[in-house]
Amino acid sequence: GSEPYQVIFISPVKPPSASLPPLIVWPHGGPHGVYPAEFVVWWECLTLLGFAIVLVNYHGSTGFGQDFIETLPGKVGTLDVQDVQFAAESIVKSGEVDKDHVMVMGGSHGGFLTTHMIGQFPEFYKAGFTRNPVIDIAAMKSTTDIPDWCSCEGGISYTPAIPPTSEDYSAMLKCSPIVHASKIMAPLVISLGGEDLRVPAINQGRQLYFNLKAQGKDVSLYYYPKDCHPMMSVDTDADCFMHCVLHFH
C-alpha cells in the first residue's frame, strides 16, 4: 500500500547486558484492530526483562479512517506481511536491537501473521509464539462463528445462501500461512483455547502443530480446555506469559 502506517517501538529500561536487546515483533489481531500507546502488563514485563518490542499497526488497522481499513481485505498474507517485515527490518537497521535475536508473536490474526513471518522469512526470525492463530482460512470457513470474516479477508463475496466455490476455497487457502509451513525453521510455541469458537483449535492451531511435528520441526503446543478466544483467564494468561518468556530466552 502507498499509505503510511504506524509502528510503536518500546525499548527496554535496561538491556540484559551491555549487548543490544533482542527484539519482539508483535502485530495485533483483528486484523481490523489497533495498538494504542497505553499500559499493557505484557509489554511492561517484557521490557523489564530486557526485550525491545515493535508493535505494528499495519494496513487495515482501525483509527486511521475507513479507506485505510479497506486496503487490506483480499490482501491478507501479503500486504500485512509486507508491512510487518518492513517495520521489523527498519528497527533492525536502526542499530538499536540485536539483529540475530528477532522473535515474533501474536494472537488470532496476529498469530496468522506470526506464522506467515516465520514461514516467509525463515532466516530472519529466531522464534515464534502464537495464541489461537488463524492458520487455514479455507478450513476455518465452515467451523468458525464468523464465516463472513473468512470471505471478506480472503477477498471473496459472502452470501449465506450460496456455498463457496472451489475457486473461493483456493483463494482462502492461498493467503493462509499453512502454505508456508514447510519453510518454517524457527522454534514455535502454539497456545490454544479449547472453547474458542472464533478460531477453532481443532482445524487451526492443531493442524499446524501436527504438520510441523510430522516434519520433525521444533514445535510445542499448550492447550487450555476451558479458555475461549481471548485466553485471558488469570491462570491461562500467566501460564502463556511464562511459556513465552522461557521460549524467547
Side-chain angles (χ1 to χ4, degrees):
S2 58
E3 306 84 357
Y5 62 99
Q6 181 189 67
V7 301
I8 300 172
F9 177 65
I10 310 173
S11 58
V13 175
K14 184 175 69 172
S17 66
S19 60
L20 292 171
L23 176 66
I24 298 175
V25 180
W26 199 337
H28 62 72
H32 308 298
V34 69
Y35 278 139
E38 64 178 1
F39 175 84
V40 173
V41 172
W42 276 58
W43 303 346
E44 177 74 11
C45 292
L46 287 169
T47 53
L48 286 172
L49 290 170
F51 293 97
I53 302 171
V54 59
L55 309 169
V56 188
N57 289 322
Y58 47 83
H59 281 81
S61 299
T62 56
F64 306 97
Q66 187 65 26
D67 289 344
F68 190 77
I69 291 174
E70 293 178 359
T71 58
L72 186 59
K75 298 178 183 177
V76 295
T78 52
L79 179 57
D80 46 3
V81 168
Q82 292 166 7
D83 285 353
V84 173
Q85 186 61 16
F86 183 79
E89 291 182 2
S90 296
I91 297 297
V92 167
K93 289 176 182 176
S94 74
E96 296 188 50
V97 299
D98 186 346
K99 64 181 178 62
D100 296 320
H101 291 87
V102 181
M103 287 76 72
V104 59
M105 66 180 292
S108 194
H109 192 82
F112 171 93
L113 286 170
T114 294
T115 312
H116 263 298
M117 306 317 293
I118 61 175
Q120 293 195 43
F121 305 95
E123 296 185 0
F124 186 85
Y125 295 96
K126 305 309 179 188
F129 182 88
T130 64
R131 290 164 65 134
N132 286 332
V134 175
I135 298 302
D136 182 343
I137 298 178
M140 180 175 154
K141 172 77 173 174
S142 61
T143 57
T144 179
D145 63 349
I146 50 168
D148 51 324
W149 180 93
C150 298
S151 298
C152 174
E153 303 306 338
I156 61 178
S157 60
Y158 175 70
T159 306
I162 302 175
T165 64
S166 58
E167 290 78 11
D168 292 338
Y169 279 115
S170 178
M172 289 185 284
L173 177 61
K174 185 178 179 181
C175 63
S176 299
I178 191 68
V179 301
H180 300 287
S182 64
K183 297 179 287 183
I184 290 175
M185 296 167 54
L188 177 65
V189 168
I190 305 169
S191 49
L192 303 175
E195 295 187 0
D196 186 359
L197 302 180
R198 186 126 308 169
V199 184
I202 191 168
N203 69 354
Q204 294 300 304
R206 284 175 60 182
Q207 178 189 171
L208 178 63
Y209 173 75
F210 291 135
N211 182 296
L212 295 178
K213 270 293 184 183
Q215 296 181 58
K217 302 289 179 69
D218 186 349
V219 58
S220 301
L221 186 149
Y222 297 97
Y223 186 72
Y224 305 91
K226 298 299 182 182
D227 268 87
C228 57
H229 192 57
M231 295 180 65
M232 287 301 293
S233 67
V234 174
D235 288 348
T236 295
D237 192 46
D239 198 60
C240 285
F241 179 80
M242 293 304 299
H243 285 304
C244 176
V245 171
L246 292 172
H247 184 56
F248 285 170
H249 268 298

